[in-house]
Coordinates of all heavy atoms in Angstrom, one line a residue:
L1391 N 156.7 -41.2 -12.6 CA 156.6 -42.5 -12.9 C 157.3 -43.5 -11.9 O 156.7 -44.5 -11.6 CB 157.3 -42.8 -14.4 CG 157.2 -44.1 -15.0 CD1 155.8 -44.6 -15.2 CD2 158.0 -44.2 -16.4
Y1392 N 158.3 -43.1 -11.4 CA 159.0 -44.0 -10.4 C 158.2 -44.1 -9.2 O 158.0 -45.2 -8.7 CB 160.4 -43.3 -10.0 CG 161.1 -43.9 -8.8 CD1 161.5 -45.2 -8.8 CD2 161.0 -43.1 -7.6 CE1 162.1 -45.7 -7.6 CE2 161.5 -43.6 -6.6 CZ 162.1 -44.8 -6.5 OH 162.7 -45.2 -5.2
T1393 N 157.7 -42.9 -8.7 CA 156.9 -42.9 -7.5 C 155.6 -43.8 -7.8 O 155.3 -44.6 -6.8 CB 156.5 -41.6 -7.1 OG1 157.7 -40.7 -6.9 CG2 155.7 -41.6 -5.8
T1394 N 155.0 -43.6 -8.9 CA 153.7 -44.4 -9.1 C 154.0 -45.9 -9.2 O 153.3 -46.7 -8.7 CB 153.1 -43.8 -10.5 OG1 152.9 -42.5 -10.5 CG2 151.8 -44.7 -10.8
M1395 N 155.0 -46.3 -10.0 CA 155.4 -47.7 -10.2 C 155.7 -48.3 -8.9 O 155.4 -49.5 -8.5 CB 156.3 -48.0 -11.1 CG 156.0 -47.6 -12.5 SD 154.3 -48.2 -13.0 CE 154.6 -50.0 -13.0
L1396 N 156.4 -47.7 -8.0 CA 156.8 -48.2 -6.7 C 155.6 -48.4 -5.7 O 155.4 -49.4 -5.1 CB 157.8 -47.3 -5.9 CG 158.3 -47.7 -4.6 CD1 159.0 -49.1 -4.6 CD2 159.4 -46.6 -4.1
G1397 N 154.7 -47.3 -5.8 CA 153.5 -47.4 -4.9 C 152.6 -48.5 -5.4 O 151.9 -49.1 -4.8
F1398 N 152.6 -48.6 -6.8 CA 151.8 -49.6 -7.4 C 152.2 -51.0 -7.2 O 151.3 -51.9 -6.8 CB 151.7 -49.4 -9.0 CG 150.9 -50.4 -9.8 CD1 149.7 -50.5 -9.7 CD2 151.7 -51.3 -10.5 CE1 148.9 -51.4 -10.5 CE2 151.0 -52.2 -11.4 CZ 149.6 -52.3 -11.2
A1399 N 153.4 -51.2 -7.2 CA 154.0 -52.6 -6.9 C 153.6 -52.9 -5.5 O 153.3 -54.1 -5.1 CB 155.6 -52.6 -7.1
L1400 N 153.9 -52.0 -4.5 CA 153.5 -52.2 -3.0 C 152.0 -52.6 -3.0 O 151.7 -53.4 -2.1 CB 153.9 -51.1 -2.1 CG 155.4 -50.8 -2.0 CD1 155.7 -49.5 -1.3 CD2 156.2 -52.1 -1.5
G1401 N 151.2 -51.7 -3.6 CA 149.8 -51.9 -3.6 C 149.3 -53.3 -4.2 O 148.4 -53.9 -3.6
V1402 N 150.0 -53.8 -5.2 CA 149.7 -55.1 -5.8 C 150.0 -56.2 -4.8 O 149.1 -57.1 -4.5 CB 150.4 -55.2 -7.1 CG1 150.3 -56.7 -7.5 CG2 149.9 -54.4 -8.2
V1403 N 151.1 -56.2 -4.2 CA 151.6 -57.1 -3.2 C 150.7 -57.1 -2.0 O 150.0 -58.2 -1.7 CB 153.0 -56.9 -2.8 CG1 153.3 -57.9 -1.6 CG2 154.0 -57.0 -3.9
T1404 N 150.3 -56.0 -1.4 CA 149.3 -55.9 -0.4 C 147.9 -56.3 -0.8 O 147.3 -57.0 0.0 CB 149.4 -54.4 0.2 OG1 150.7 -54.1 0.5 CG2 148.5 -54.4 1.5
G1405 N 147.5 -55.9 -1.9 CA 146.2 -56.2 -2.4 C 146.0 -57.7 -2.7 O 145.0 -58.2 -2.4
V1406 N 147.0 -58.3 -3.3 CA 146.9 -59.7 -3.5 C 146.8 -60.5 -2.1 O 145.9 -61.5 -2.0 CB 148.1 -60.2 -4.3 CG1 148.1 -61.8 -4.4 CG2 147.9 -59.7 -5.7
V1407 N 147.6 -60.2 -1.2 CA 147.7 -60.9 0.0 C 146.2 -60.8 0.8 O 145.6 -61.7 1.2 CB 148.7 -60.3 1.0 CG1 148.7 -60.9 2.4 CG2 150.2 -60.7 0.3
L1408 N 145.7 -59.4 0.8 CA 144.5 -59.2 1.5 C 143.4 -59.9 0.7 O 142.5 -60.5 1.3 CB 144.3 -57.7 1.6 CG 145.1 -57.0 2.5 CD1 144.8 -55.5 2.5 CD2 145.0 -57.5 4.0
G1409 N 143.4 -59.8 -0.7 CA 142.3 -60.5 -1.4 C 142.2 -62.0 -1.3 O 141.2 -62.7 -1.2
V1410 N 143.5 -62.6 -1.2 CA 143.5 -64.1 -1.0 C 142.9 -64.4 0.5 O 142.2 -65.3 0.6 CB 144.9 -64.8 -1.0 CG1 145.1 -66.1 -0.7 CG2 145.4 -64.5 -2.6
L1411 N 143.4 -63.6 1.4 CA 142.9 -63.9 2.7 C 141.3 -63.7 2.9 O 140.7 -64.4 3.4 CB 143.6 -62.9 3.8 CG 143.2 -62.9 5.3 CD1 143.6 -64.3 5.8 CD2 143.9 -61.9 6.1
I1412 N 140.9 -62.6 2.3 CA 139.4 -62.2 2.3 C 138.6 -63.3 1.5 O 137.6 -63.7 2.0 CB 139.1 -60.7 2.0 CG1 139.7 -59.8 3.0 CG2 137.6 -60.6 1.7 CD1 139.6 -58.4 2.5
G1413 N 139.2 -63.6 0.4 CA 138.4 -64.5 -0.5 C 138.2 -66.0 0.0 O 137.4 -66.7 -0.4
S1414 N 139.3 -66.4 0.8 CA 139.4 -67.7 1.1 C 138.9 -68.0 2.6 O 138.8 -69.1 3.1 CB 140.8 -68.3 1.1 OG 141.7 -67.5 1.8
S1415 N 138.5 -66.8 3.4 CA 138.2 -67.1 4.8 C 136.9 -66.2 5.0 O 137.0 -64.9 4.7 CB 139.4 -66.6 5.7 OG 138.9 -66.5 7.0
R1416 N 135.9 -66.8 5.5 CA 134.6 -66.2 5.8 C 134.9 -65.2 6.9 O 134.4 -64.0 7.0 CB 133.6 -67.2 6.2 CG 132.3 -66.6 6.7 CD 131.6 -65.6 5.8 NE 131.2 -66.1 4.5 CZ 130.7 -65.5 3.6 NH1 130.4 -64.2 3.8 NH2 130.3 -66.1 2.5
L1417 N 135.7 -65.6 7.9 CA 136.0 -64.7 9.1 C 136.6 -63.5 8.7 O 136.3 -62.5 9.1 CB 136.8 -65.5 10.1 CG 137.3 -64.7 11.4 CD1 136.0 -64.3 12.2 CD2 138.2 -65.5 12.3
A1418 N 137.7 -63.6 7.8 CA 138.4 -62.5 7.3 C 137.4 -61.5 6.5 O 137.6 -60.4 6.6 CB 139.5 -63.0 6.4
Y1419 N 136.5 -62.1 5.7 CA 135.7 -61.4 5.0 C 134.7 -60.5 5.8 O 134.4 -59.4 5.6 CB 134.8 -62.3 4.0 CG 133.7 -61.5 3.2 CD1 134.1 -61.0 1.9 CD2 132.5 -61.4 3.6 CE1 133.1 -60.4 1.2 CE2 131.4 -60.7 2.9 CZ 131.9 -60.3 1.7 OH 130.9 -59.5 1.0
D1420 N 134.2 -61.2 6.9 CA 133.3 -60.5 7.8 C 134.0 -59.4 8.7 O 133.3 -58.4 9.0 CB 132.6 -61.5 8.8 CG 131.7 -62.5 8.0 OD1 131.2 -62.0 6.9 OD2 131.5 -63.6 8.5
T1421 N 135.3 -59.6 8.9 CA 136.0 -58.5 9.7 C 136.8 -57.5 8.9 O 136.7 -56.3 9.2 CB 136.9 -59.2 10.7 OG1 137.8 -60.1 9.9 CG2 136.1 -60.2 11.6
A1422 N 137.5 -57.9 7.9 CA 138.5 -57.0 7.2 C 137.7 -56.2 6.1 O 138.1 -55.1 5.8 CB 139.6 -57.8 6.8
Y1423 N 136.7 -57.0 5.5 CA 136.1 -56.3 4.3 C 135.4 -54.9 4.6 O 135.6 -54.0 4.0 CB 135.2 -57.2 3.6 CG 134.9 -56.8 2.2 CD1 135.7 -57.1 1.1 CD2 133.7 -56.1 1.9 CE1 135.5 -56.8 -0.2 CE2 133.4 -55.8 0.6 CZ 134.4 -56.1 -0.5 OH 134.0 -55.7 -1.8
P1424 N 134.6 -54.9 5.7 CA 134.0 -53.6 6.1 C 135.0 -52.5 6.4 O 134.8 -51.4 6.1 CB 133.2 -54.0 7.3 CG 133.0 -55.5 7.2 CD 134.2 -56.0 6.6
L1425 N 136.1 -52.9 7.1 CA 137.1 -52.0 7.4 C 137.8 -51.4 6.1 O 138.1 -50.2 6.0 CB 138.3 -52.6 8.3 CG 137.8 -53.0 9.8 CD1 138.8 -53.7 10.5 CD2 137.3 -51.7 10.5
L1426 N 138.0 -52.3 5.2 CA 138.6 -51.9 3.9 C 137.7 -51.0 3.1 O 138.2 -49.9 2.5 CB 138.9 -53.2 3.1 CG 139.7 -52.9 1.8 CD1 141.2 -52.4 2.3 CD2 139.8 -54.2 1.2
V1427 N 136.4 -51.2 3.1 CA 135.5 -50.5 2.4 C 135.5 -49.1 3.1 O 135.4 -48.0 2.4 CB 134.1 -51.1 2.4 CG1 133.1 -50.0 1.8 CG2 134.2 -52.3 1.5
G1428 N 135.4 -49.0 4.3 CA 135.4 -47.7 5.1 C 136.7 -46.9 4.8 O 136.6 -45.7 4.6
F1429 N 137.8 -47.6 4.9 CA 139.0 -46.9 4.6 C 139.1 -46.3 3.2 O 139.6 -45.2 3.0 CB 140.4 -47.8 5.0 CG 141.5 -47.0 4.8 CD1 142.0 -46.2 5.7 CD2 142.3 -47.3 3.7 CE1 143.2 -45.5 5.7 CE2 143.5 -46.7 3.5 CZ 144.0 -45.8 4.6
S1430 N 138.7 -47.1 2.2 CA 138.7 -46.8 0.8 C 137.7 -45.5 0.5 O 137.9 -44.9 -0.5 CB 138.4 -47.8 -0.1 OG 137.0 -48.3 0.1
S1431 N 136.8 -45.3 1.4 CA 135.9 -44.4 1.2 C 136.4 -42.9 1.6 O 135.8 -41.8 1.3 CB 134.5 -44.6 2.0 OG 133.9 -45.8 1.6
I1432 N 137.5 -42.9 2.4 CA 138.0 -41.7 2.8 C 138.8 -41.0 1.7 O 139.6 -41.7 1.0 CB 139.0 -41.9 3.9 CG1 138.4 -42.6 5.1 CG2 139.7 -40.7 4.4 CD1 139.4 -43.0 6.3
P1433 N 138.5 -39.7 1.4 CA 139.3 -39.0 0.3 C 140.8 -39.0 0.6 O 141.2 -38.7 1.8 CB 138.7 -37.6 0.5 CG 137.4 -37.8 1.1 CD 137.5 -38.9 2.1
K1434 N 141.5 -39.5 -0.5 CA 143.0 -39.7 -0.2 C 143.7 -38.4 0.0 O 144.8 -38.3 0.7 CB 143.6 -40.4 -1.4 CG 143.0 -41.9 -1.6 CD 143.0 -42.6 -0.3 CE 142.2 -44.0 -0.4 NZ 140.8 -43.9 -0.4
V1435 N 143.1 -37.3 -0.5 CA 143.7 -36.0 -0.2 C 143.6 -35.7 1.2 O 144.5 -34.8 1.7 CB 143.0 -34.9 -1.0 CG1 141.6 -34.7 -0.5 CG2 143.8 -33.6 -1.1
A1436 N 142.7 -36.2 2.1 CA 142.9 -36.0 3.4 C 143.8 -36.8 4.2 O 144.1 -36.5 5.4 CB 141.4 -36.3 4.0
V1437 N 144.3 -37.8 3.5 CA 145.3 -38.7 4.1 C 146.7 -38.2 4.0 O 147.5 -38.5 4.9 CB 145.1 -40.2 3.5 CG1 146.2 -41.0 4.2 CG2 143.8 -40.7 3.7
V1438 N 147.0 -37.4 2.9 CA 148.3 -36.9 2.5 C 148.8 -36.1 3.8 O 150.0 -36.3 4.1 CB 148.3 -36.1 1.3 CG1 149.6 -35.6 1.0 CG2 147.8 -37.0 0.2
P1439 N 148.1 -35.1 4.3 CA 148.6 -34.4 5.4 C 149.2 -35.2 6.6 O 150.1 -34.9 7.2 CB 147.6 -33.4 5.9 CG 146.7 -33.3 4.5 CD 146.8 -34.6 4.0
I1440 N 148.3 -36.3 7.0 CA 148.8 -37.2 7.9 C 150.1 -38.0 7.7 O 151.0 -38.0 8.5 CB 147.7 -38.2 8.2 CG1 146.4 -37.6 8.7 CG2 148.1 -39.2 9.2 CD1 145.2 -38.4 8.7
L1441 N 150.2 -38.4 6.3 CA 151.5 -39.0 5.9 C 152.6 -38.1 5.9 O 153.7 -38.5 6.3 CB 151.3 -39.6 4.5 CG 150.2 -40.6 4.4 CD1 150.1 -41.0 2.9 CD2 150.6 -41.9 5.2
V1442 N 152.4 -36.7 5.7 CA 153.5 -35.7 5.7 C 153.9 -35.6 7.1 O 155.1 -35.4 7.5 CB 153.0 -34.4 5.1 CG1 154.0 -33.3 5.3 CG2 152.6 -34.6 3.6
L1443 N 152.9 -35.6 8.1 CA 153.3 -35.5 9.5 C 154.1 -36.6 10.0 O 155.0 -36.4 10.8 CB 152.0 -35.3 10.3 CG 151.2 -34.1 10.3 CD1 150.0 -34.2 11.1 CD2 152.1 -32.9 10.8
W1444 N 153.8 -37.9 9.4 CA 154.6 -39.1 9.9 C 155.9 -39.2 9.1 O 157.0 -39.5 9.8 CB 153.8 -40.4 9.6 CG 152.5 -40.4 10.4 CD1 152.3 -39.6 11.6 CD2 151.4 -41.3 10.3 NE1 151.1 -40.1 12.2 CE2 150.5 -41.1 11.4 CE3 151.1 -42.3 9.3 CZ2 149.4 -41.8 11.4 CZ3 150.0 -42.9 9.5 CH2 149.1 -42.8 10.5
F1445 N 156.0 -38.9 7.8 CA 157.2 -39.2 7.0 C 157.8 -38.0 6.5 O 158.9 -38.1 5.8 CB 156.8 -40.2 5.9 CG 156.2 -41.5 6.4 CD1 154.9 -41.6 6.3 CD2 157.0 -42.4 7.0 CE1 154.2 -42.8 6.7 CE2 156.4 -43.6 7.4 CZ 155.0 -43.8 7.4
G1446 N 157.2 -36.8 6.6 CA 157.8 -35.6 6.1 C 157.4 -35.4 4.6 O 157.0 -36.4 3.9
A1447 N 157.6 -34.2 4.0 CA 157.4 -34.1 2.6 C 158.4 -34.7 1.7 O 159.6 -34.9 2.2 CB 157.3 -32.5 2.3
G1448 N 157.9 -35.2 0.6 CA 159.0 -35.8 -0.3 C 158.3 -37.0 -1.0 O 157.0 -37.2 -1.2
T1449 N 159.0 -38.0 -1.3 CA 158.7 -39.2 -2.1 C 157.8 -40.1 -1.4 O 156.8 -40.8 -1.9 CB 159.9 -39.8 -2.6 OG1 160.7 -39.0 -3.5 CG2 159.6 -41.1 -3.6
V1450 N 158.1 -40.3 -0.1 CA 157.5 -41.3 0.8 C 155.9 -41.1 0.9 O 155.2 -42.0 0.6 CB 158.1 -41.4 2.1 CG1 157.3 -42.4 3.0 CG2 159.5 -41.9 2.1
P1451 N 155.5 -39.9 1.1 CA 154.0 -39.8 1.1 C 153.3 -40.1 -0.3 O 152.3 -40.6 -0.2 CB 153.7 -38.3 1.5 CG 155.0 -37.9 2.3 CD 156.2 -38.7 1.5
A1452 N 154.1 -39.7 -1.3 CA 153.5 -40.0 -2.7 C 153.4 -41.5 -3.0 O 152.5 -42.0 -3.5 CB 154.3 -39.4 -3.7
V1453 N 154.5 -42.2 -2.5 CA 154.5 -43.6 -2.7 C 153.5 -44.3 -1.9 O 152.6 -45.1 -2.4 CB 155.8 -44.2 -2.3 CG1 155.8 -45.7 -2.2 CG2 157.0 -43.7 -3.3
L1454 N 153.2 -43.9 -0.6 CA 152.2 -44.5 0.2 C 150.8 -44.1 -0.3 O 149.9 -45.0 -0.2 CB 152.4 -44.1 1.7 CG 153.6 -44.5 2.4 CD1 153.8 -43.9 3.7 CD2 153.7 -46.0 2.3
T1455 N 150.6 -42.9 -0.7 CA 149.3 -42.5 -1.2 C 149.0 -43.3 -2.6 O 147.8 -43.7 -2.7 CB 149.2 -40.9 -1.6 OG1 149.7 -40.3 -0.5 CG2 147.8 -40.5 -2.1
S1456 N 149.9 -43.5 -3.4 CA 149.7 -44.2 -4.6 C 149.4 -45.6 -4.2 O 148.5 -46.3 -4.8 CB 151.0 -44.3 -5.5 OG 150.9 -45.1 -6.6
M1457 N 150.1 -46.2 -3.2 CA 149.8 -47.6 -2.8 C 148.4 -47.7 -2.2 O 147.6 -48.8 -2.6 CB 150.9 -48.1 -1.8 CG 150.7 -49.5 -1.2 SD 151.6 -49.8 0.3 CE 150.8 -48.9 1.5
I1458 N 148.0 -46.8 -1.4 CA 146.8 -46.9 -0.7 C 145.6 -46.8 -1.7 O 144.6 -47.6 -1.5 CB 146.7 -45.8 0.4 CG1 147.6 -46.1 1.6 CG2 145.2 -45.7 1.0 CD1 147.7 -44.9 2.5
I1459 N 145.7 -46.0 -2.6 CA 144.6 -45.8 -3.5 C 144.3 -46.9 -4.5 O 143.3 -47.1 -5.0 CB 144.8 -44.4 -4.3 CG1 143.4 -43.8 -4.8 CG2 145.7 -44.6 -5.4 CD1 143.5 -42.4 -5.3
C1460 N 145.4 -47.8 -4.6 CA 145.2 -48.9 -5.7 C 145.0 -50.2 -5.1 O 144.9 -51.1 -5.7 CB 146.4 -48.9 -6.7 SG 147.9 -49.4 -5.9
I1461 N 144.9 -50.2 -3.7 CA 144.8 -51.6 -3.1 C 143.4 -52.1 -3.2 O 143.2 -53.2 -3.5 CB 145.1 -51.3 -1.6 CG1 146.7 -51.3 -1.3 CG2 144.6 -52.6 -0.8 CD1 147.0 -51.2 -0.1
F1462 N 142.3 -51.2 -3.1 CA 141.0 -51.6 -3.0 C 140.5 -52.4 -4.3 O 139.9 -53.5 -4.1 CB 140.0 -50.4 -2.7 CG 138.6 -50.9 -2.6 CD1 138.2 -51.5 -1.3 CD2 137.6 -50.5 -3.5 CE1 137.0 -51.8 -1.1 CE2 136.3 -50.9 -3.3 CZ 136.0 -51.5 -2.0

Side-chain angles (χ1 to χ4, degrees):
L1391 182 61
Y1392 164 75
T1393 302
T1394 300
M1395 295 311 297
L1396 181 57
F1398 175 71
L1400 295 173
V1402 169
V1403 173
T1404 307
V1406 169
V1407 172
L1408 291 176
V1410 171
L1411 181 64
I1412 292 174
S1414 58
S1415 171
R1416 172 57 62 179
L1417 178 61
Y1419 178 87
D1420 292 337
T1421 55
Y1423 199 79
L1425 293 175
L1426 187 65
V1427 171
F1429 184 76
S1430 66
S1431 302
I1432 299 174
K1434 301 307 176 287
V1435 68
V1437 178
V1438 176
I1440 299 175
L1441 297 177
V1442 172
L1443 288 175
W1444 290 349
F1445 302 101
T1449 302
V1450 176
V1453 171
L1454 293 177
T1455 306
S1456 177
M1457 179 191 75
I1458 291 170
I1459 202 171
C1460 70
I1461 285 178
F1462 186 71

